[in-house]
Amino acid sequence: MTHSLDAGHRWLFEHAGILHRDISLDNLMLRREGDKVYGVLNDMDLAANVGVTIASSKQRTGTKPFMAIDLLRPDPSVHMYHHDLESMFYVLVWITSRFNNGEEITEPPLQEWADLGGVALIGGKYRFIMPLPPRRTGQFESFGRWVVPM
């Protein structure tokens, strides 16, 4: 049984009034206790209190490949809960499209997300979301039927 990472993220937002603002591959972990697996969200360095206004230049927080499209724009919007959820989506897509049997594949899809910035990265994410998902690995194949409708 796996406990939802989003449940912990939602609790952090609803009860503690905190936005993580840097959902990325490096900040998500799994912890096992017996037969249970728990999602762990770590690294709260860029976290902020909900409702606290921060200058727009400080809104662009996160790790490039996983940042929400709105936050990559030249004049980013205020970081909101749905931006963290969008980041979780990108982490899930990244993992399921780049790894096969626990090994990173050669020439993985979406590599340009790590190499691009700003407007170019926005374009890369739109190309991913709008037409077709990336080349499918074994892990992506089992997840793909949910990614395409999302």
Side-chain angles (χ1 to χ4, degrees), residues 11-31:
W11 184 94
L12 192 66
F13 176 78
E14 291 176 351
H15 296 279
I18 295 173
L19 277 172
H20 188 275
R21 302 187 339 146
D22 188 17
I23 306 292
S24 68
L25 187 62
D26 291 339
N27 292 339
L28 300 175
M29 301 174 6
L30 296 176
R31 175 176 54 93

Side-chain angles (χ1 to χ4, degrees), residues 1-75:
M1 177 179 195
T2 302
H3 294 270
S4 170
L5 179 63
D6 180 49
H9 178 258
R10 186 173 55 244
W11 184 94
L12 192 66
F13 176 78
E14 291 176 351
H15 296 279
I18 295 173
L19 277 172
H20 188 275
R21 302 187 339 146
D22 188 17
I23 306 292
S24 68
L25 187 62
D26 291 339
N27 292 339
L28 300 175
M29 301 174 6
L30 296 176
R31 175 176 54 93
R32 287 187 190 275
E33 284 187 13
D35 63 341
K36 294 182 180 179
V37 179
Y38 298 89
V40 178
L41 179 60
N42 65 5
D43 190 0
M44 303 295 284
D45 292 351
L46 297 177
N49 291 329
V50 175
V52 173
T53 304
I54 300 170
S56 64
S57 65
K58 296 187 181 192
Q59 288 301 317
R60 194 171 291 131
T61 60
T63 303
K64 268 193 320 184
F66 311 109
M67 287 175 64
I69 289 173
D70 287 347
L71 300 177
L72 292 166
R73 298 184 189 288
D75 187 19

Side-chain angles (χ1 to χ4, degrees), residues 64-66 72 93-94 97-98 104 107-129 132-135:
K64 268 193 320 184
F66 311 109
L72 292 166
V93 167
W94 185 271
S97 66
R98 296 174 67 93
E104 191 162 14
E107 299 181 33
L110 309 179
Q111 182 57 44
E112 71 272 10
W113 289 10
D115 302 333
L116 298 174
V119 176
L121 182 53
I122 292 170
K125 287 184 175 184
Y126 271 127
R127 282 189 297 280
F128 167 75
I129 291 172
L132 297 172
R135 182 177 76 239

